[in-house]
Amino acid sequence: MKTPAWSRLAGYAWGVLLWNVLVALFGAYVRATGSGAGCGAHWPTCNGEVIPRAPQVETLIEFTHRATSGLAFLSVLFLFLWVWRAFPKGHPARLGAGLSLFFMITESLVGASLVLFGWVADNVSPERAVVQMVHLANTYFLLAALALTAWWASGGGPLRLRGQGAVGPALLLGLLALLFLSMSGAVTALGDLLFPVRNSLEALERSLTPGEHFLVRLRVLHPLIAVSVGLYVVFAGYLVAHLRPSSLTRRLAQGLAYLYGAQLLAGLINVALKAPVWMQLLHLLLAYAIWLLFVFLMASSLAQGTRRVELGEGEASQVHRGTGGATWKDYLALTKPRVISLLLLTTLLAMLIAAKGWPGTGLFLAVALGGYMMAGAANAINMVVDRDIDARMKRTAKRPTVTQRVSSRDALLFAFALAVLGFAVLWWGANLLAATLALMGLIWYVLVYTLYLKRRTWQNIVIGGAAGAFPPLVGWAAVTGELSLFAWYLFALIFFWTPVHFWALALMIQDDYRAVGVPMLPVVLGERATVIQIALYALLTALISVMPLAMGELGFFYLTSSLLLNGLLILKSLALYRRPERRTAVSLYKYSMLYLALLFVAMAVDRVL
């Protein structure tokens, strides 16, 4: 039985993609070994010869790269001709093949400019860094075009770009973030080549030294950029898989998460081993794989016919489109201002604790605004995801996504805009570490708590509640640019306080949770087990709250304040244990909020005194 022509074409398209990945990796090998000047300043000839005679090792490496690149060019040209002959006008594979040929041409021109202008070997000019970034970005575009060509040639559906709500911007931002990360990686790799260091400490010291070369000073930013971009890419992958559900989007989202974890590990090993050539190539290969997975996630989730969950497609009734007429108050309600108030207070008080006084008005306002935006974005996404159970609970039945004052589509767009602006404000007004930590808190709340744990296990609030412990880390990092042991103490304090606070609330509204099938602790194990757990966590919180005294970070004022506050917390927890009634649960719930606020105030005052 003969293989259909389109099937042979699809196989060839996948082969061309693989070949170009290998050629790109070999190009990185040329740069990492300093062999870019192996053919001198000649192009397309090598040292003035078509085929060099008696070449040096560097010449052989560079010439081999040019030969393999030439074969890659011919393979893409043949792919273009075959696709245009095999598929009719308007078929998306034609667009992919056309873009592939275009980016292959620009790839050749950028590579030629590196040689002709001498931006190779030991050249440390800014122009070389810029062209290096452009070169890598063009490679990413080329691989994306080839991947889409193979995808469409294999039967993948054309893209539907309109009517995608927040999914379209989320995917576009992911592509841009990965592109930005790749360009920062190109600069970092160039710095590793031209300015080698003995260890990571020397790299950090030199990056902070005024007057050092810009390639050295930029190198320290790449790890933070990698973490923040990775967090966003994983978040976007799982959110898109939830909003455009299919077995393929779920597998791609999971693959992105696992692959990015491997990439971060490879980055750490690369730094520890001082960037050997083989490790640089592995690091780049993983980067290409992540980029291609994200491109495939985009293609599968935006394909025509894919179900759009936030619009209610595939359900019995169109319950998510909204009634219109939403006001600013409805959008403000999406952010859950009352919930955010305590989180924001711990953020701002952590700034006072870190600064041992006033951290500066501009910084204070930037963190307040950026922190509110990031937390508000997380809450708005939570309202979209949980709108089905919110509609059946008295406490949440009037939320804008339930009353349909705001459609799920508009709520997600609003959340996406808040998150992007919040991250930008924190980065601009404070630093990248603070912005990254705020993004980690958002992702933990949405992915770990809301999407994964909340409906699966009674441990949801223990593990997922860590999202509420990120705000003081944000405030501390905004002031100091780092995370000390004291900062992590603040994290631990809120982490162990959260079950006391939330399980008291869960006792109050356990009937609502039972009705919607959310496995909160009182629903799963009963009231007696819940009040015991609350008492144990109250004791743990009290013990952790005195740790700064042993560390020598706080003094007498905090000692007396914490003893009073913790004594009352334990008494109220014991009262709930003796009488597990709504009245005692309400009392503990309300006091737990006051407890955390006053404890942070006591720390801030003590640090100033």
Side-chain angles (χ1 to χ4, degrees), residues 125-181:
S125 65
E127 293 81 5
R128 181 184 184 184
V130 171
V131 176
Q132 196 80 38
M133 289 189 292
V134 172
H135 197 19
L136 191 57
N138 193 87
T139 300
Y140 268 47
F141 288 135
L142 171 62
L143 295 181
L146 288 170
L148 289 174
T149 304
W151 175 273
W152 287 321
S154 301
L159 303 185
R160 176 174 57 184
L161 300 180
R162 293 183 179 181
Q164 296 291 355
V167 170
L171 289 169
L172 177 60
L173 183 61
L175 290 173
L176 294 176
L178 286 172
L179 199 62
F180 178 67
L181 174 61

Short mmCIF file of all heavy atoms in Angstrom, two decimals, residues 125-181:
data_model
loop_
_atom_site.label_atom_id
_atom_site.label_comp_id
_atom_site.label_asym_id
_atom_site.label_seq_id
_atom_site.Cartn_x
_atom_site.Cartn_y
_atom_site.Cartn_z
N SER A 125 31.69 44.32 21.29
CA SER A 125 30.93 45.53 20.99
C SER A 125 29.45 45.35 21.30
O SER A 125 28.93 44.23 21.26
CB SER A 125 31.09 45.90 19.51
OG SER A 125 30.50 44.92 18.70
N PRO A 126 28.74 46.46 21.60
CA PRO A 126 27.29 46.38 21.81
C PRO A 126 26.56 45.87 20.56
O PRO A 126 25.53 45.20 20.68
CB PRO A 126 26.90 47.83 22.12
CG PRO A 126 28.16 48.47 22.62
CD PRO A 126 29.27 47.80 21.87
N GLU A 127 27.12 46.22 19.38
CA GLU A 127 26.48 45.76 18.15
C GLU A 127 26.41 44.24 18.08
O GLU A 127 25.42 43.67 17.63
CB GLU A 127 27.22 46.31 16.93
CG GLU A 127 27.13 47.82 16.74
CD GLU A 127 28.11 48.58 17.62
OE1 GLU A 127 28.93 47.91 18.32
OE2 GLU A 127 28.09 49.81 17.62
N ARG A 128 27.47 43.59 18.54
CA ARG A 128 27.47 42.13 18.50
C ARG A 128 26.38 41.56 19.40
O ARG A 128 25.69 40.60 19.03
CB ARG A 128 28.83 41.58 18.93
CG ARG A 128 28.86 40.05 18.86
CD ARG A 128 30.14 39.45 19.37
NE ARG A 128 30.14 38.00 19.21
CZ ARG A 128 31.09 37.19 19.64
NH1 ARG A 128 32.16 37.71 20.26
NH2 ARG A 128 31.00 35.89 19.46
N ALA A 129 26.22 42.15 20.59
CA ALA A 129 25.19 41.67 21.51
C ALA A 129 23.80 41.83 20.91
O ALA A 129 22.95 40.93 21.01
CB ALA A 129 25.28 42.42 22.83
N VAL A 130 23.56 42.98 20.25
CA VAL A 130 22.26 43.23 19.66
C VAL A 130 21.99 42.23 18.53
O VAL A 130 20.91 41.62 18.46
CB VAL A 130 22.16 44.68 19.14
CG1 VAL A 130 20.88 44.87 18.33
CG2 VAL A 130 22.21 45.66 20.30
N VAL A 131 22.96 42.06 17.64
CA VAL A 131 22.77 41.15 16.51
C VAL A 131 22.65 39.71 17.00
O VAL A 131 21.90 38.90 16.42
CB VAL A 131 23.94 41.30 15.50
CG1 VAL A 131 23.80 40.28 14.37
CG2 VAL A 131 23.96 42.71 14.92
N GLN A 132 23.36 39.38 18.09
CA GLN A 132 23.25 38.03 18.66
C GLN A 132 21.81 37.77 19.11
O GLN A 132 21.26 36.68 18.89
CB GLN A 132 24.20 37.90 19.85
CG GLN A 132 24.46 36.45 20.28
CD GLN A 132 25.49 35.78 19.39
OE1 GLN A 132 26.46 36.39 18.98
NE2 GLN A 132 25.29 34.51 19.11
N MET A 133 21.19 38.77 19.75
CA MET A 133 19.81 38.63 20.19
C MET A 133 18.86 38.52 19.00
O MET A 133 17.93 37.71 19.00
CB MET A 133 19.42 39.82 21.08
CG MET A 133 20.10 39.80 22.45
SD MET A 133 19.44 41.06 23.58
CE MET A 133 19.99 42.57 22.79
N VAL A 134 19.10 39.35 17.99
CA VAL A 134 18.27 39.29 16.78
C VAL A 134 18.40 37.93 16.11
O VAL A 134 17.41 37.35 15.63
CB VAL A 134 18.67 40.42 15.81
CG1 VAL A 134 17.96 40.25 14.46
CG2 VAL A 134 18.33 41.78 16.41
N HIS A 135 19.62 37.40 16.08
CA HIS A 135 19.88 36.10 15.46
C HIS A 135 19.07 35.00 16.16
O HIS A 135 18.41 34.17 15.50
CB HIS A 135 21.38 35.80 15.55
CG HIS A 135 21.82 34.72 14.61
ND1 HIS A 135 21.11 34.30 13.52
CD2 HIS A 135 22.96 33.95 14.62
CE1 HIS A 135 21.75 33.34 12.88
NE2 HIS A 135 22.87 33.09 13.55
N LEU A 136 19.10 35.01 17.49
CA LEU A 136 18.37 33.98 18.23
C LEU A 136 16.86 34.15 18.07
O LEU A 136 16.12 33.16 17.92
CB LEU A 136 18.76 34.00 19.70
CG LEU A 136 18.27 32.81 20.54
CD1 LEU A 136 18.78 31.50 19.95
CD2 LEU A 136 18.73 32.93 21.97
N ALA A 137 16.40 35.40 18.09
CA ALA A 137 14.96 35.64 17.90
C ALA A 137 14.51 35.15 16.53
O ALA A 137 13.45 34.53 16.39
CB ALA A 137 14.66 37.13 18.06
N ASN A 138 15.33 35.41 15.51
CA ASN A 138 14.97 34.94 14.16
C ASN A 138 14.95 33.42 14.10
O ASN A 138 14.09 32.83 13.42
CB ASN A 138 15.98 35.48 13.14
CG ASN A 138 15.51 35.30 11.72
OD1 ASN A 138 14.80 36.13 11.17
ND2 ASN A 138 15.89 34.18 11.11
N THR A 139 15.86 32.77 14.82
CA THR A 139 15.85 31.31 14.86
C THR A 139 14.55 30.80 15.49
O THR A 139 13.96 29.82 15.01
CB THR A 139 17.05 30.80 15.68
OG1 THR A 139 18.27 31.24 15.07
CG2 THR A 139 17.06 29.28 15.75
N TYR A 140 14.10 31.46 16.54
CA TYR A 140 12.84 31.08 17.18
C TYR A 140 11.68 31.22 16.20
O TYR A 140 10.80 30.35 16.12
CB TYR A 140 12.60 31.94 18.41
CG TYR A 140 13.12 31.35 19.70
CD1 TYR A 140 14.41 30.82 19.76
CD2 TYR A 140 12.34 31.29 20.84
CE1 TYR A 140 14.90 30.28 20.94
CE2 TYR A 140 12.82 30.74 22.02
CZ TYR A 140 14.10 30.24 22.06
OH TYR A 140 14.56 29.68 23.22
N PHE A 141 11.66 32.34 15.46
CA PHE A 141 10.59 32.54 14.48
C PHE A 141 10.64 31.47 13.39
O PHE A 141 9.60 30.97 12.94
CB PHE A 141 10.70 33.93 13.85
CG PHE A 141 10.32 35.04 14.77
CD1 PHE A 141 11.10 36.18 14.86
CD2 PHE A 141 9.18 34.97 15.55
CE1 PHE A 141 10.75 37.23 15.71
CE2 PHE A 141 8.82 36.00 16.40
CZ PHE A 141 9.60 37.14 16.47
N LEU A 142 11.85 31.13 12.96
CA LEU A 142 12.00 30.11 11.93
C LEU A 142 11.47 28.76 12.42
O LEU A 142 10.72 28.08 11.72
CB LEU A 142 13.47 29.99 11.53
CG LEU A 142 13.84 28.82 10.61
CD1 LEU A 142 13.11 28.94 9.27
CD2 LEU A 142 15.36 28.76 10.41
N LEU A 143 11.87 28.37 13.63
CA LEU A 143 11.42 27.09 14.16
C LEU A 143 9.90 27.08 14.37
O LEU A 143 9.24 26.06 14.14
CB LEU A 143 12.13 26.80 15.49
CG LEU A 143 13.65 26.60 15.40
CD1 LEU A 143 14.23 26.30 16.77
CD2 LEU A 143 14.00 25.47 14.42
N ALA A 144 9.34 28.22 14.80
CA ALA A 144 7.88 28.29 14.98
C ALA A 144 7.17 28.12 13.64
O ALA A 144 6.16 27.40 13.54
CB ALA A 144 7.50 29.62 15.62
N ALA A 145 7.68 28.78 12.60
CA ALA A 145 7.06 28.67 11.27
C ALA A 145 7.14 27.24 10.74
O ALA A 145 6.17 26.71 10.18
CB ALA A 145 7.73 29.64 10.31
N LEU A 146 8.29 26.60 10.93
CA LEU A 146 8.45 25.22 10.49
C LEU A 146 7.54 24.28 11.28
O LEU A 146 6.95 23.34 10.71
CB LEU A 146 9.90 24.79 10.64
CG LEU A 146 10.90 25.40 9.65
CD1 LEU A 146 12.33 25.07 10.06
CD2 LEU A 146 10.63 24.90 8.24
N ALA A 147 7.42 24.54 12.59
CA ALA A 147 6.55 23.70 13.42
C ALA A 147 5.10 23.81 12.99
O ALA A 147 4.37 22.81 12.90
CB ALA A 147 6.71 24.09 14.89
N LEU A 148 4.64 25.03 12.71
CA LEU A 148 3.26 25.22 12.27
C LEU A 148 3.03 24.61 10.89
O LEU A 148 1.95 24.06 10.62
CB LEU A 148 2.93 26.71 12.26
CG LEU A 148 2.80 27.37 13.64
CD1 LEU A 148 2.61 28.87 13.51
CD2 LEU A 148 1.64 26.75 14.42
N THR A 149 4.03 24.71 10.03
CA THR A 149 3.90 24.09 8.71
C THR A 149 3.71 22.58 8.85
O THR A 149 2.82 21.98 8.21
CB THR A 149 5.15 24.37 7.86
OG1 THR A 149 5.36 25.78 7.77
CG2 THR A 149 5.00 23.79 6.46
N ALA A 150 4.54 21.94 9.68
CA ALA A 150 4.40 20.51 9.90
C ALA A 150 3.06 20.17 10.55
O ALA A 150 2.42 19.17 10.22
CB ALA A 150 5.56 20.01 10.77
N TRP A 151 2.64 21.01 11.49
CA TRP A 151 1.36 20.81 12.19
C TRP A 151 0.19 20.83 11.20
O TRP A 151 -0.66 19.96 11.20
CB TRP A 151 1.21 21.90 13.24
CG TRP A 151 -0.09 21.93 13.98
CD1 TRP A 151 -1.23 22.57 13.61
CD2 TRP A 151 -0.38 21.29 15.24
NE1 TRP A 151 -2.21 22.40 14.55
CE2 TRP A 151 -1.72 21.61 15.55
CE3 TRP A 151 0.36 20.50 16.11
CZ2 TRP A 151 -2.33 21.15 16.72
CZ3 TRP A 151 -0.25 20.05 17.26
CH2 TRP A 151 -1.57 20.36 17.56
N TRP A 152 0.17 21.86 10.35
CA TRP A 152 -0.93 22.00 9.40
C TRP A 152 -0.85 20.96 8.28
O TRP A 152 -1.87 20.47 7.81
CB TRP A 152 -0.94 23.41 8.81
CG TRP A 152 -1.43 24.44 9.79
CD1 TRP A 152 -2.45 24.30 10.67
CD2 TRP A 152 -0.92 25.76 9.97
NE1 TRP A 152 -2.60 25.45 11.41
CE2 TRP A 152 -1.69 26.38 11.00
CE3 TRP A 152 0.11 26.50 9.39
CZ2 TRP A 152 -1.46 27.67 11.43
CZ3 TRP A 152 0.34 27.80 9.83
CH2 TRP A 152 -0.44 28.37 10.84
N ALA A 153 0.37 20.60 7.90
CA ALA A 153 0.52 19.57 6.88
C ALA A 153 0.06 18.21 7.40
O ALA A 153 -0.29 17.32 6.62
CB ALA A 153 1.97 19.49 6.41
N SER A 154 0.06 18.05 8.72
CA SER A 154 -0.37 16.79 9.33
C SER A 154 -1.86 16.76 9.64
O SER A 154 -2.34 15.82 10.28
CB SER A 154 0.43 16.54 10.62
OG SER A 154 1.81 16.49 10.35
N GLY A 155 -2.57 17.81 9.24
CA GLY A 155 -4.01 17.82 9.45
C GLY A 155 -4.49 18.74 10.53
O GLY A 155 -5.70 18.76 10.85
N GLY A 156 -3.60 19.52 11.15
CA GLY A 156 -4.02 20.47 12.18
C GLY A 156 -4.93 21.53 11.60
O GLY A 156 -4.74 21.99 10.48
N GLY A 157 -5.93 21.94 12.39
CA GLY A 157 -6.90 22.91 11.92
C GLY A 157 -6.34 24.32 11.88
O GLY A 157 -5.40 24.65 12.61
N PRO A 158 -6.90 25.18 11.01
CA PRO A 158 -6.46 26.58 10.95
C PRO A 158 -6.80 27.31 12.25
O PRO A 158 -7.68 26.88 13.01
CB PRO A 158 -7.25 27.14 9.77
CG PRO A 158 -8.45 26.25 9.65
CD PRO A 158 -7.99 24.90 10.07
N LEU A 159 -6.11 28.41 12.50
CA LEU A 159 -6.31 29.16 13.73
C LEU A 159 -7.54 30.05 13.63
O LEU A 159 -7.83 30.62 12.59
CB LEU A 159 -5.08 30.02 14.04
CG LEU A 159 -3.73 29.29 14.16
CD1 LEU A 159 -2.65 30.27 14.60
CD2 LEU A 159 -3.82 28.14 15.15
N ARG A 160 -8.23 30.16 14.77
CA ARG A 160 -9.33 31.12 14.90
C ARG A 160 -8.86 32.18 15.90
O ARG A 160 -8.81 31.93 17.11
CB ARG A 160 -10.60 30.43 15.41
CG ARG A 160 -11.75 31.41 15.65
CD ARG A 160 -13.04 30.70 16.03
NE ARG A 160 -12.89 29.87 17.21
CZ ARG A 160 -13.87 29.09 17.69
NH1 ARG A 160 -15.02 29.04 17.07
NH2 ARG A 160 -13.66 28.37 18.77
N LEU A 161 -8.51 33.35 15.41
CA LEU A 161 -7.91 34.37 16.26
C LEU A 161 -8.95 35.27 16.92
O LEU A 161 -8.68 35.83 17.99
CB LEU A 161 -6.93 35.23 15.44
CG LEU A 161 -5.75 34.45 14.82
CD1 LEU A 161 -4.85 35.39 14.05
CD2 LEU A 161 -4.96 33.71 15.89
N ARG A 162 -10.10 35.42 16.31
CA ARG A 162 -11.13 36.28 16.89
C ARG A 162 -11.98 35.51 17.90
O ARG A 162 -12.17 34.31 17.80
CB ARG A 162 -12.04 36.83 15.79
CG ARG A 162 -11.33 37.81 14.85
CD ARG A 162 -12.32 38.38 13.84
NE ARG A 162 -11.67 39.34 12.94
CZ ARG A 162 -12.30 40.01 11.98
NH1 ARG A 162 -13.60 39.79 11.78
NH2 ARG A 162 -11.65 40.86 11.21
N GLY A 163 -12.49 36.26 18.88
CA GLY A 163 -13.39 35.66 19.85
C GLY A 163 -12.71 34.76 20.85
O GLY A 163 -13.35 33.89 21.44
N GLN A 164 -11.41 34.94 21.08
CA GLN A 164 -10.68 34.08 22.01
C GLN A 164 -10.56 34.68 23.40
O GLN A 164 -9.96 34.06 24.29
CB GLN A 164 -9.29 33.77 21.45
CG GLN A 164 -9.29 32.98 20.16
CD GLN A 164 -9.76 31.55 20.35
OE1 GLN A 164 -10.01 31.10 21.45
NE2 GLN A 164 -9.90 30.82 19.23
N GLY A 165 -11.09 35.88 23.60
CA GLY A 165 -11.05 36.49 24.93
C GLY A 165 -9.63 36.65 25.43
O GLY A 165 -8.73 37.08 24.71
N ALA A 166 -9.42 36.26 26.70
CA ALA A 166 -8.10 36.42 27.32
C ALA A 166 -7.10 35.37 26.87
O ALA A 166 -5.90 35.53 27.08
CB ALA A 166 -8.24 36.37 28.84
N VAL A 167 -7.58 34.30 26.24
CA VAL A 167 -6.67 33.22 25.83
C VAL A 167 -5.68 33.72 24.79
O VAL A 167 -4.48 33.41 24.85
CB VAL A 167 -7.47 32.02 25.30
CG1 VAL A 167 -6.55 30.99 24.64
CG2 VAL A 167 -8.25 31.36 26.43
N GLY A 168 -6.17 34.51 23.81
CA GLY A 168 -5.27 35.03 22.78
C GLY A 168 -4.16 35.89 23.35
O GLY A 168 -2.97 35.62 23.11
N PRO A 169 -4.47 36.94 24.15
CA PRO A 169 -3.41 37.74 24.75
C PRO A 169 -2.49 36.94 25.68
O PRO A 169 -1.29 37.20 25.74
CB PRO A 169 -4.18 38.81 25.54
CG PRO A 169 -5.49 38.92 24.85
CD PRO A 169 -5.80 37.54 24.35
N ALA A 170 -3.05 35.97 26.40
CA ALA A 170 -2.23 35.16 27.31
C ALA A 170 -1.18 34.37 26.54
O ALA A 170 -0.02 34.28 26.94
CB ALA A 170 -3.12 34.21 28.12
N LEU A 171 -1.59 33.79 25.41
CA LEU A 171 -0.65 33.03 24.59
C LEU A 171 0.37 33.96 23.92
O LEU A 171 1.56 33.64 23.84
CB LEU A 171 -1.41 32.23 23.53
CG LEU A 171 -2.22 31.04 24.06
CD1 LEU A 171 -3.13 30.50 22.98
CD2 LEU A 171 -1.29 29.94 24.57
N LEU A 172 -0.10 35.12 23.44
CA LEU A 172 0.82 36.07 22.81
C LEU A 172 1.87 36.54 23.80
O LEU A 172 3.06 36.61 23.48
CB LEU A 172 0.03 37.26 22.26
CG LEU A 172 0.87 38.39 21.64
CD1 LEU A 172 1.68 37.86 20.45
CD2 LEU A 172 -0.01 39.55 21.21
N LEU A 173 1.44 36.85 25.03
CA LEU A 173 2.40 37.28 26.04
C LEU A 173 3.39 36.16 26.36
O LEU A 173 4.58 36.42 26.59
CB LEU A 173 1.67 37.71 27.31
CG LEU A 173 2.57 38.24 28.43
CD1 LEU A 173 3.33 39.49 27.98
CD2 LEU A 173 1.77 38.53 29.70
N GLY A 174 2.91 34.91 26.36
CA GLY A 174 3.82 33.79 26.59
C GLY A 174 4.88 33.68 25.51
O GLY A 174 6.05 33.45 25.81
N LEU A 175 4.46 33.84 24.26
CA LEU A 175 5.43 33.81 23.15
C LEU A 175 6.45 34.94 23.28
O LEU A 175 7.66 34.73 23.12
CB LEU A 175 4.69 33.92 21.82
CG LEU A 175 3.84 32.71 21.40
CD1 LEU A 175 3.04 33.04 20.14
CD2 LEU A 175 4.72 31.49 21.16
N LEU A 176 5.96 36.14 23.60
CA LEU A 176 6.87 37.29 23.74
C LEU A 176 7.81 37.10 24.94
O LEU A 176 8.99 37.46 24.87
CB LEU A 176 6.07 38.58 23.90
CG LEU A 176 5.25 39.01 22.67
CD1 LEU A 176 4.43 40.26 23.01
CD2 LEU A 176 6.17 39.30 21.49
N ALA A 177 7.27 36.54 26.03
CA ALA A 177 8.11 36.31 27.22
C ALA A 177 9.21 35.30 26.93
O ALA A 177 10.37 35.48 27.32
CB ALA A 177 7.23 35.83 28.37
N LEU A 178 8.86 34.21 26.23
CA LEU A 178 9.88 33.22 25.88
C LEU A 178 10.90 33.82 24.92
O LEU A 178 12.10 33.50 25.00
CB LEU A 178 9.22 32.00 25.24
CG LEU A 178 8.47 31.07 26.21
CD1 LEU A 178 7.70 30.01 25.44
CD2 LEU A 178 9.44 30.42 27.18
N LEU A 179 10.45 34.68 24.03
CA LEU A 179 11.37 35.34 23.11
C LEU A 179 12.32 36.27 23.87
O LEU A 179 13.54 36.29 23.62
CB LEU A 179 10.56 36.14 22.08
CG LEU A 179 11.27 36.53 20.78
CD1 LEU A 179 11.70 35.29 20.01
CD2 LEU A 179 10.34 37.38 19.93
N PHE A 180 11.77 37.02 24.80
CA PHE A 180 12.60 37.91 25.63
C PHE A 180 13.60 37.11 26.45
O PHE A 180 14.77 37.49 26.58
CB PHE A 180 11.69 38.72 26.54
CG PHE A 180 12.42 39.64 27.48
CD1 PHE A 180 13.14 40.73 27.00
CD2 PHE A 180 12.39 39.42 28.85
CE1 PHE A 180 13.82 41.57 27.86
CE2 PHE A 180 13.06 40.25 29.72
CZ PHE A 180 13.78 41.34 29.23
N LEU A 181 13.14 35.98 27.00
CA LEU A 181 14.04 35.12 27.76
C LEU A 181 15.16 34.60 26.89
O LEU A 181 16.33 34.55 27.31
CB LEU A 181 13.26 33.96 28.37
CG LEU A 181 14.06 32.89 29.09
CD1 LEU A 181 14.83 33.49 30.27
CD2 LEU A 181 13.15 31.76 29.57
#
